[in-house]
Amino acid sequence: MSYVDEVLAKVKEKNANEPEFLQAVEEVLNSLRPVIAVNEEKYKKLALLERLCEPERQIKFRVPWIDDNGQVQVNTGYRVQFNSAIGPYKGGIRLHPSVYIGIIKFLGFEQIFKNSLTGLAIGGGKGGSDFDPKGKSDNEIMNFCQSFMTELCRHIGANTDVPAGDIGTGGREIGYMYGQYKRIRNLYEGVLTGKGLSFGGSLARTEATGYGLLYLTNEMLKSNGIDIAGKTICVSGAGNVAIYAIQKAQQMGAKVVTCSDSTGWIYDEEGIDVALLKEIKEVKRARLDAYAAARPSAVYHDKKAEGSNVWDVPCAVALPCATQNELGIDDAKKLVGNGVLAVAEGANMPTTLEATEYFQEKGVLFAPGKAANAGGVACSALEMSQNSERMIWSFEKVDKSLESIMINIFHNIDAAAEKYGFKGNYVVGANIAGFEKVADAMLAQGVV
Ligand code: GLU
């Protein structure tokens, strides 16, 4: 049995109830086979892969808070500090009822390689809670965030672990968490990213994941002789990633005709109106049927009632920007049947392994999330730099840095894939390129 197979078997046995984590590990370790083969005995002796798959630290805690009726509610909080070989732990906080340790571990594991690909000094971590922000009042959100940070604040710090946003955690939540951290620790430091502009946030951080996704997608298309201008694009999701992906795609001359939320999706034959979408999602915090009600060219589809989704719509480029495993094999078949040329993941692991392999078999260009959505965390690292030097960079400076980081990521993953004989396989390329730097640092730092 090869070393990779041995480790895979051990990881499966040890984490049997965490399918998302196993899915992420399986994809990465399978891609690393050609790199591991070169130094198999050495890596095995040093248990490099076992260490890579075991978080350095996992914190699980009670989050009690009081709702607007005076009722005490209790949620579970998590922070997984996965790998600090190349920098302080860095990764978002997910607030969603689906959160359990397996989700946080999968996200933290992905973050190790994603953060490495940015070329910046950030390790991998992730946190969250099973708290559901939907339908909560501002006061309830603040109560929850303060309680969450009351425990988390003893485990994080500007040079230790720097959380940020993710699903359910946006600017409002980061503000409340930052206020509580400062109050308890009496430190004004860059302990969180995605902060408001008046207290250490970076210009372009809000846009960064979506913009970065398009910078990388555009580079991938260009390198394969395809012009993004005039192409029809389907986007899923209607959160921060989706909104700014749609905006940048339109600026590049493409036409984005779909977006979705947890209950339904929109087809807008004239192209999504980003200003209206922002108003509905960011200001009113309403559902997408409100978009269709306000826009004659748009049709709203109820997901459950119709059993349909955005991948039914023919497009040249598909950008899944909602959540993990939202695009399965049936969706992949529909997209390929409709002639899709490229898929790039704005969310973390939105495509199942089976669907990913199907796209690759059919010659569809496929950019995995750890490369394609790295723009958010890359910009977070730029926010950390600005906080450290107590300076504020212009929007243009941050955006230009972001663009060059994303273009570099594409060329690095492309080169890594080619070097190991997998030309055009950007999944293999991203995993190998992300791994190499982390492995080098881990080996240099000894058995820790
Ligand atoms: N949650 C984002 C991600 O999945 C951003 C993390 C960060 O900025 O630290 O990469």
Side-chain angles (χ1 to χ4, degrees), residues 217-226 316-318 340-345 356 359-360 362-368 410 424-427:
T217 304
N218 187 35
E219 196 63 17
M220 173 173 78
L221 291 173
K222 249 178 34 194
S223 296
N224 287 279
I226 303 166
V317 179
V340 73
L341 301 173
V343 178
E345 297 184 319
T356 304
F359 284 134
Q360 290 176 324
K362 297 291 173 189
V364 175
L365 303 172
F366 184 86
F410 174 73
N425 186 333
Y426 305 125
V427 174

Side-chain angles (χ1 to χ4, degrees), residues 90-92 111 114 126 162 164-166 193 205 348 373 376-377 380:
K90 183 85 196 83
Q111 206 83 42
K114 181 196 311 198
K126 201 86 183 192
V162 182
D166 195 80
T193 58
R205 175 63 189 88
N348 289 310
N373 72 38
V377 77
S380 277

Side-chain angles (χ1 to χ4, degrees), residues 52 201 282 430:
L52 196 65
E282 290 177 351

Side-chain angles (χ1 to χ4, degrees), residues 43-119:
Y43 290 165
K44 185 172 171 175
K45 185 133 200 235
L46 291 168
L48 181 67
L49 295 180
E50 288 90 331
R51 282 192 278 152
L52 196 65
C53 296
E54 181 76 28
E56 288 175 18
R57 193 173 299 105
Q58 303 184 51
I59 302 144
K60 181 176 179 187
F61 51 98
R62 178 169 71 203
V63 189
W65 56 278
I66 302 176
D67 73 16
D68 288 347
N69 298 320
Q71 173 66 48
V72 175
Q73 302 285 344
V74 181
N75 287 102
T76 309
Y78 303 91
R79 186 74 185 165
V80 172
Q81 298 180 331
F82 221 123
N83 193 303
S84 62
I86 65 167
Y89 309 106
K90 183 85 196 83
I93 290 171
R94 178 170 294 191
L95 302 181
H96 192 268
S98 63
V99 164
Y100 75 107
I101 191 66
I103 294 275
I104 303 299
K105 276 169 67 183
F106 121 63
L107 291 164
F109 186 73
E110 289 283 295
Q111 206 83 42
I112 302 170
F113 306 95
K114 181 196 311 198
N115 295 3
S116 168
L117 285 173
T118 66

Side-chain angles (χ1 to χ4, degrees), residues 238-250:
N240 171 266
V241 182
I243 289 173
Y244 293 98
I246 296 170
Q247 189 173 75
K248 184 52 75 179
Q250 290 176 344

Side-chain angles (χ1 to χ4, degrees), residues 225-238:
I226 303 166
D227 187 357
I228 196 167
K231 295 285 181 298
T232 297
I233 298 187
C234 283
V235 167
S236 64

Side-chain angles (χ1 to χ4, degrees), residues 211-219 248 252 399 403 406:
Y211 279 20
L213 173 65
L214 267 295
Y215 293 143
L216 185 131
T217 304
N218 187 35
E219 196 63 17
K248 184 52 75 179
M252 290 175 165
D399 190 34
E403 187 177 13
M406 298 313 293

